[in-house]
Amino acid sequence: MLWPERRLLTSLMSRHTHLRFMPEATARQGGHITLLFTVESEQRLPRDQGSCGAGFTVHHGVEAAGTLTLVRQQPSAQSAGVEPDQRITDPVAQRADITVTDRHGSAINDDRIYRSYIESCRFATLLRPHEHLTLQVRLDCPPSQGFGMSAAGLMALGGLLLKLTGRGSRRQYLKIAHQVERQHSGGLGDVLGASVGGVELRTHPGAPGWPGQVESFGAETPVLLVWESTQQRHTSSYIDDAGWKSAITKAGHDCMKRLTQIPWDAKAWPRLIEESATFAEASGMMEEDGRSSLLTTVREAMKKTDLESLAVPCLCMLGTSVAVLPVDLDRTPQEEQLEQLGALCLEQGLSMLLTRLAPVRSNE
């Protein structure tokens, strides 16, 4: 039995003179974690929607690898002596072969967001009708746990297409990623936040570059992510609910008023940690049973380590997950200490991943 992509290529070869494979390329994008935010989804255009808020980007995220196949059309008998159009518009040729796997190598069967992104790139002529994409996407973190995997996947795919084609700019692919996220009711500010890396403050909602506005600072520290694997929460279940939307936005605006009054640099870190806890309580997120239970379990595990004075568990919005973060960037936990805490969390039936903050970068 032929794999789906081999069946497709066999079909193409029966109708076209040749397939020319471009070299394989790979692109990565770290996940994004929001600690506090507002919901700004009333605007008509997806590019204007998003959120104000604060969060950070981590090293682990999504890897996209793939190749472009250039498909050339064979001349028909009727076109003898006439130069044929070498480009084809065959929908089979334009169809992308996409494989998505999780951190354990198991297949994820939902690839709709990637297909939407590819179609948007075709519409923007960043991909051409005669170019067939074979794509493998691998997630380092679980989806629907507040780690920004949909945004990271789209951003990694954009980076891959930029490498394969040399067309467009990073900012163009980021803008498309933001719009596709919104069309699928995904993350509000993940693309904007992850576009600059580090620890970011999103001061105006929207797509990167414009109208979205964001600033960021860098920090070196390991981060422990802990989550309850039996509970997943899609962003839309909150931002499409009028009650949650109102409570989240009010709490987020209150926190942002205070954070925007101070310089956004490494000295703002303790205030961010404080406002994260304030937001979790004021928005009602802390009151949900799954999150409350998770926080209690992680805090109890921390009592068995020497981390209580060095680190604090902060809720990741909007998953059933926490990020164990340093209280002070001048006294960050050692990886060995976080690994010990992670092992204790595993004993309690939780899942965990040790990662690091990602560096600051330009979203140009």
Side-chain angles (χ1 to χ4, degrees):
M1 179 177 178
L2 291 174
W3 291 97
E5 58 266 27
R6 293 300 299 274
R7 290 202 300 271
L8 172 61
L9 294 181
T10 300
S11 173
L12 287 171
M13 290 178 70
S14 68
R15 285 175 289 162
H16 303 97
T17 53
H18 68 280
L19 305 174
R20 184 158 66 90
F21 295 91
M22 303 298 286
E24 183 178 63
T26 302
R28 287 191 55 85
Q29 171 61 46
H32 177 259
I33 293 169
T34 290
L35 296 177
L36 58 95
F37 69 108
T38 66
V39 180
E40 315 289 347
S41 59
E42 299 302 323
Q43 297 82 350
R44 182 175 64 86
L45 297 176
R47 73 182 183 198
D48 297 326
Q49 299 171 9
S51 75
C52 298
F56 56 91
T57 303
V58 295
H59 171 72
H60 287 77
V62 177
E63 179 179 276
T67 58
L68 274 184
T69 306
L70 308 183
V71 187
R72 298 301 182 185
Q73 190 176 37
Q74 63 181 4
S76 64
Q78 290 84 354
S79 67
V82 179
E83 182 67 22
D85 184 356
Q86 290 297 303
R87 296 179 303 173
I88 63 173
T89 57
D90 190 322
V92 176
Q94 291 190 50
R95 186 187 307 153
D97 287 310
I98 304 174
T99 303
V100 186
T101 56
D102 65 16
R103 59 198 293 260
H104 303 296
S106 299
I108 297 176
N109 295 321
D110 189 354
D111 61 8
R112 289 172 296 177
I113 196 167
Y114 299 105
R115 294 193 180 278
S116 294
Y117 188 86
I118 291 167
E119 288 308 307
S120 295
C121 288
R122 290 196 187 279
F123 183 79
T125 69
L126 294 169
L127 271 176
R128 305 294 162 77
H130 61 290
E131 294 173 335
H132 171 80
L133 178 66
T134 301
L135 173 68
Q136 298 88 39
V137 179
R138 182 177 64 82
L139 279 62
D140 295 332
C141 306
S144 300
Q145 284 290 4
F147 302 143
M149 287 297 95
S150 59
L154 295 176
M155 294 170 72
L157 175 52
L160 174 68
L161 293 177
L162 181 57
K163 286 184 178 182
L164 288 172
T165 68
R167 302 186 194 111
S169 66
R170 180 172 182 262
R171 180 171 289 186
Q172 280 182 279
Y173 290 103
L174 290 174
K175 286 181 176 292
I176 295 173
H178 176 83
Q179 293 184 52
V180 172
E181 270 267 87
R182 294 308 310 126
Q183 290 164 1
H184 285 257
S185 295
L188 289 162
D190 287 330
V191 173
L192 180 60
S195 71
V196 295
V199 183
E200 103 283 343
L201 187 70
R202 305 186 306 279
T203 55
H204 196 283
W210 186 87
Q213 297 295 316
V214 60
E215 54 184 311
S216 180
F217 66 82
E220 286 284 338
T221 182
V223 175
L224 181 68
L225 305 179
V226 182
W227 65 94
E228 172 55 75
S229 59
T230 61
Q231 298 188 38
Q232 294 183 326
R233 303 171 189 269
H234 193 273
T235 302
S236 61
S237 63
Y238 291 93
I239 64 177
D240 293 339
D241 181 279
W244 274 116
K245 181 177 177 179
S246 176
I248 288 169
T249 300
K250 183 182 185 306
H253 277 307
D254 289 344
C255 293
M256 286 297 292
K257 286 178 184 177
R258 294 184 288 269
L259 288 177
T260 53
Q261 296 302 310
I262 61 176
W264 194 248
D265 55 29
K267 294 180 181 178
W269 178 264
R271 188 61 179 271
L272 172 60
I273 298 300
E274 178 184 326
E275 294 293 351
S276 169
T278 300
F279 174 83
E281 186 170 346
S283 65
M285 293 290 173
M286 186 84 79
E287 298 175 6
E288 290 202 302
D289 290 341
R291 293 192 180 95
S292 177
S293 174
L294 175 63
L295 271 174
T296 298
T297 301
V298 174
R299 285 169 177 163
E300 289 298 315
M302 289 181 70
K303 292 179 181 179
K304 301 176 183 179
T305 70
D306 54 359
L307 282 170
E308 280 193 286
S309 64
L310 294 175
V312 59
C314 297
L315 286 179
C316 303
M317 305 299 165
L318 286 157
T320 307
S321 56
V322 300
V324 180
L325 303 171
V327 174
D328 190 329
L329 290 177
D330 292 329
R331 295 176 60 244
T332 61
Q334 298 297 309
E335 288 189 0
E336 293 78 8
Q337 294 173 299
L338 292 175
E339 286 174 346
Q340 179 188 4
L341 174 60
L344 292 172
C345 291
L346 289 175
E347 292 176 2
Q348 298 301 313
L350 301 175
S351 301
M352 69 88 176
L353 175 67
L354 183 62
T355 185
R356 300 190 67 83
L357 288 188
V360 174
R361 64 181 304 180
S362 168
N363 66 8
E364 294 296 329

